[in-house]
Amino acid sequence: MLNQRMVGLGTQRSGIRELFEYGKKKAAEIGAENVFDFSIGNPSVPAPPSVNETAIRILNEMDPIQLHGYTSAQGDPVARKMIADSLNRRFGMNFTGDNLYMTYGAAAALCCCFNGLANPGDEFIVFAPYFPEYQVFIEGAGAKMKLIPADTEAFQINFEAFEAAINEHTKGVLVNSPNNPSGAVYSESTIRKMAEILEAKSAEYGEPIYLIADEPYREIAFEGVDIPYLPKFYNNTLVCYSWSKSLSLPGERMGYVVVPDEVDDHELVYAAIAGAGRTLGYVCAPGLFQRVCAANADETSDISVYETNRNLLTKSLREMGYSVVEPGGTFYIFPQTIIPDDIAFCKRAQFDYNLLIVPGTGFGCPGHARISFCVPTERVERSLDLFDKLAKSYR
Ligand code: PLP
């Protein structure tokens, strides 16, 4: 008998993928210009030119055996040092290459953390709204996801529910700021308060509660928005990062986990991450792109179109009567749906207006819908009338 859980996961497509596939089919029928696909979070701006330039230079100049060979299981030491240096320059940290474990995007980085940390029966706290794959990753590590309902006023943290959810089984807390799907950025005061609670609860239960920061959108932050670097606020923090969004390289599958020296027993924790990488087969991340990303660790794609789209959508949706928390980063906006039933709302958007938006229910936050605005501004502009008609259709 096969592992039925795996069969289920491999058979069901996520709602987002489903919508994306529908969009492609519909575009073939009625023309791509008539379908407004805001379903998926695929960056719409190219990687900076320096990415391809570095790749070409490395391909031309590096010894071919080394170029295409395995790196160390935890990643190429030169690349790890270059990335650590970049983090130190930008965030005032003291990392060395030994604090980094290179892996296949943020997804693999998270799986290494959950598998490395969890024992059977352990729990990880997740705040709604959340990236739905978290549940798959956490349960795949034999642990349980404990969901904290959203603070829909500002998409910060519902502290009362958070504190009540922590118990002796809590192994870690996962935070994602800037957030998919809300675009919200946790303020410094939110982070300080969370760190205080985690310190107190770790002391109460006599075991560290790890903070896992999922940060693929760190660099996609809009003017005036500061994104605090979490290891500065809480010692037992592991950072999961990827260049999927910041350098528009989701297909290259490149990211890392940082285990700072300040983490309790950091060498053992690093060993557990590496052991999880070994168990999952996430060893020796792709060599070429380890080196390319390391050389471009200070770079970000030109994200100005995301900011233009964020401004346009926030203003226009509010004028149409949608209630919206303005995103501080990412390329997502998460307005309230005009009716409480977000699934019915998104179906009407899809079938009556060719607007492909994702119900908040799948992100643990009903009554909302995610609009991925990583598309040309012209497409956002042409969609506005449809969002308006959609809202009016309920009045
Ligand atoms: N975490 C969040 C919040 C995401 O939105 C995504 C991808 O969309 C990931 C993790 C996975 O990123 P990666 O492509 O780097 O594995």
Side-chain angles (χ1 to χ4, degrees):
M1 164 117 140
L2 295 173
N3 178 326
Q4 293 305 300
R5 180 173 171 269
M6 295 303 164
V7 173
L9 285 170
T11 318
Q12 296 150 12
R13 242 194 327 232
S14 80
I16 297 172
R17 288 265 152 207
E18 212 56 81
L19 209 52
F20 179 63
E21 293 302 329
Y22 169 90
K24 283 201 291 193
K25 238 176 50 203
K26 193 76 189 169
E29 260 171 49
I30 63 169
E33 71 285 3
N34 298 315
V35 179
F36 297 88
D37 185 354
F38 299 113
S39 64
I40 209 159
N42 220 353
S44 60
V45 295
S50 58
V51 166
N52 284 7
E53 286 159 15
T54 322
I56 291 165
R57 181 176 54 70
I58 294 173
L59 284 168
N60 285 329
E61 292 177 5
M62 204 169 154
D63 167 67
I65 301 297
Q66 209 195 343
L67 168 65
H68 296 302
Y70 290 122
T71 66
S72 301
Q74 65 272 39
D76 175 70
V78 177
R80 286 189 288 137
K81 179 173 183 330
M82 288 168 78
I83 298 161
D85 289 346
S86 164
L87 294 171
N88 296 342
R89 266 194 306 277
R90 289 183 293 138
F91 307 122
M93 306 309 290
N94 281 311
F95 298 143
T96 70
D98 290 342
N99 295 111
L100 271 82
Y101 185 88
M102 302 301 296
T103 186
Y104 300 71
L110 290 163
C111 289
C112 286
C113 290
F114 298 135
N115 282 274
L117 297 176
N119 285 302
D122 282 346
E123 297 176 356
F124 289 93
I125 289 179
V126 169
F127 300 101
Y130 70 102
F131 177 53
E133 291 299 286
Y134 290 159
Q135 185 164 4
V136 179
F137 300 161
I138 291 171
E139 291 178 356
K144 216 173 109 191
M145 182 176 98
K146 208 158 190 185
L147 189 63
I148 308 300
D151 151 33
T152 50
E153 287 294 303
F155 293 124
Q156 296 291 305
I157 286 178
N158 177 341
F159 279 107
E160 213 176 305
F162 172 48
E163 243 183 303
I166 301 174
N167 62 37
E168 69 275 24
H169 304 296
T170 308
K171 181 53 63 91
V173 175
L174 179 57
V175 294
N176 169 225
S177 167
N179 180 267
N180 173 10
S182 70
V185 172
Y186 287 159
S187 68
E188 192 173 313
S189 73
T190 293
I191 288 162
R192 284 191 188 285
K193 195 163 170 190
M194 176 170 59
E196 239 171 66
I197 293 170
L198 290 177
E199 298 283 3
K201 292 284 184 185
S202 297
E204 183 182 336
Y205 294 113
E207 288 281 345
I209 299 175
Y210 298 94
L211 183 60
I212 301 168
D214 177 29
E215 304 208 324
Y217 300 95
R218 161 164 287 281
E219 272 73 36
I220 307 186
F222 304 131
E223 209 186 322
V225 178
D226 179 42
I227 304 186
Y229 198 61
L230 296 191
K232 291 183 144 169
F233 297 85
Y234 184 67
N235 284 348
N236 282 311
T237 298
L238 307 177
V239 181
C240 296
Y241 184 79
S242 96
W243 286 278
S244 295
K245 318 289 172 171
S246 62
L247 285 181
S248 310
L249 296 175
E252 304 303 347
R253 312 307 303 131
M254 188 53 57
Y256 59 78
V257 183
V258 183
V259 183
D261 284 354
E262 288 72 19
V263 169
D264 294 357
D265 296 322
H266 68 95
E267 284 175 1
L268 288 180
V269 173
Y270 187 94
I273 302 285
R278 193 173 159 195
T279 307
L280 296 164
Y282 295 150
V283 288
C284 314
L288 174 60
F289 268 83
Q290 285 190 49
R291 297 171 183 115
V292 170
C293 289
N296 288 278
D298 288 355
E299 304 294 323
T300 303
S301 300
D302 176 0
I303 63 162
S304 53
V305 64
Y306 302 148
E307 185 148 4
T308 304
N309 292 353
R310 187 277 308 247
N311 293 343
L312 182 58
L313 275 165
T314 306
K315 179 171 171 290
S316 310
L317 290 172
R318 282 180 177 163
E319 283 167 5
M320 295 168 197
Y322 291 89
S323 170
V324 189
V325 176
E326 184 175 59
T330 74
F331 33 62
Y332 308 112
I333 189 165
F334 198 55
Q336 276 181 25
T337 47
I338 301 288
I339 51 164
D341 184 345
D342 51 300
I343 296 173
F345 182 84
C346 291
K347 284 233 175 308
R348 184 178 290 191
Q350 177 180 353
F351 294 116
D352 292 1
Y353 299 97
N354 292 316
L355 287 173
L356 309 188
I357 57 176
V358 185
T361 295
F363 302 100
C365 192
H368 294 74
R370 188 187 77 172
I371 303 171
S372 289
F373 55 75
C374 39
V375 298
T377 301
E378 162 275 332
R379 198 160 320 148
V380 175
E381 284 166 347
R382 286 196 299 112
S383 74
L384 292 177
D385 184 45
L386 298 170
F387 278 111
D388 195 30
K389 287 188 170 129
L390 175 61
K392 285 187 175 134
S393 74
Y394 288 100
R395 299 214 175 95

